[in-house]
Amino acid sequence: MSGSIDEPVTRVVRKVFGTAASLAVVGPLPSAAVEAAFARLNEIEERFSTYRPDSEICQIRDGLLARSAAHPETQQILAVCDALFEESGGIFDAWHAGRDGGLEPAGYVKGWAIGVAAAILRDHGVDNASLGIGGDIAAWGGGPGGIGWSVGVVDPRKNTTLVARVALRDAAIATSGMAERPGHLRDASTGSAAASPWLSFTVVGPEIARVDALATIGFLEGRPGMHRVDHEPGYGALAMDEHGVLTATDGFRSRTI
């Protein structure tokens, strides 16, 4: 179901994960695709929410459910979080990332969930669209102008101002920082809000779950996080420090418009 670049963009906005999920599609928008994608997102939220006492994540966090007894999907995500812990040298610690120092895998789950929903849409023939949740976006197809989906990176000091704009085509973008959700990133060693030289850390790349994880790690890691992303093929980063100075990798600059 390929949409012409001359066709209008249809937008659908719904609440998921306590924030807005926004879908934009060039061309026809089959209702079955929308319902299937958002039903899957709701299922993921029910399983992984840290605000619903009956979710599997809360049950595991509170010691009411053994990890080995959880749904296979939950076990899979926790295994990925464990791998990210090892990869990051303990910086990405989903088991102690919550406000109470408990389990909070959102640093990976949100991006992964966007990717899952995007795959459902593509399976339904939606091949020119973007899907974003809380500022993290996956986009595929040529966009409304045929040159990719234009996405702005917001200045964390003033959210009405953009500091960069990128074109996404079969790519994704995610940002970690304190501007939108102060205190949501925690230092696992102290349980307090994470300290970082960055006000925000944005990553672009081909795979939304990886982009989301790298944005979290890069923000928490500080300046070495920029080098981490720069050495990952296909990925790029843009970060703003506490003085408002921007630093970008070549991988990010190559996508700017």
Side-chain angles (χ1 to χ4, degrees), residues 14-217:
R14 296 190 184 177
K15 186 176 181 180
V16 178
F17 301 145
T19 187
S22 179
L23 170 65
V25 177
V26 176
L29 178 61
S31 60
V34 175
E35 297 311 317
F38 280 101
R40 186 70 170 95
L41 287 172
N42 289 331
E43 178 187 30
I44 291 170
E45 181 177 11
E46 289 175 1
R47 184 168 295 139
F48 291 97
S49 171
T50 56
Y51 297 98
R52 299 184 178 189
D54 59 344
S55 74
E56 287 199 342
I57 287 299
C58 284
Q59 296 280 299
I60 293 171
R61 180 195 65 194
D62 298 339
L64 303 175
L65 176 67
R67 176 174 175 173
S68 59
H71 189 280
E73 190 168 78
T74 303
Q75 296 187 47
Q76 171 196 344
I77 294 302
L78 293 178
V80 173
C81 288
D82 289 345
L84 289 169
F85 177 87
E86 295 298 327
E87 176 189 342
S88 67
I91 291 172
F92 187 106
D93 186 357
W95 289 94
H96 301 93
R99 288 182 178 273
D100 60 353
L103 178 61
E104 169 58 277
Y108 179 79
V109 166
K110 185 171 66 170
W112 166 79
I114 293 172
V116 169
I120 291 172
L121 290 162
R122 299 184 80 156
D123 287 345
H124 279 77
V126 178
D127 58 8
N128 192 358
S130 70
L131 176 64
I133 300 177
D136 297 352
I137 300 169
W140 58 100
I147 58 172
W149 290 85
S150 176
V151 177
V153 179
V154 174
D155 187 331
R157 304 165 302 174
K158 187 177 181 182
N159 61 15
T160 57
T161 302
L162 298 182
V163 296
R165 186 173 288 278
V166 298
L168 300 181
R169 186 181 184 121
D170 299 323
I173 186 168
T175 298
S176 282
M178 297 301 186
E180 292 187 4
R181 294 168 58 203
H184 80 286
L185 293 172
R186 318 299 291 180
D187 183 331
S189 64
T190 65
S192 60
S196 173
W198 307 123
L199 294 179
S200 66
F201 193 95
T202 299
V203 177
V204 294
E207 207 272 312
I208 181 61
R210 183 62 178 166
V211 162
D212 198 16
L214 284 173
T216 301
I217 293 171

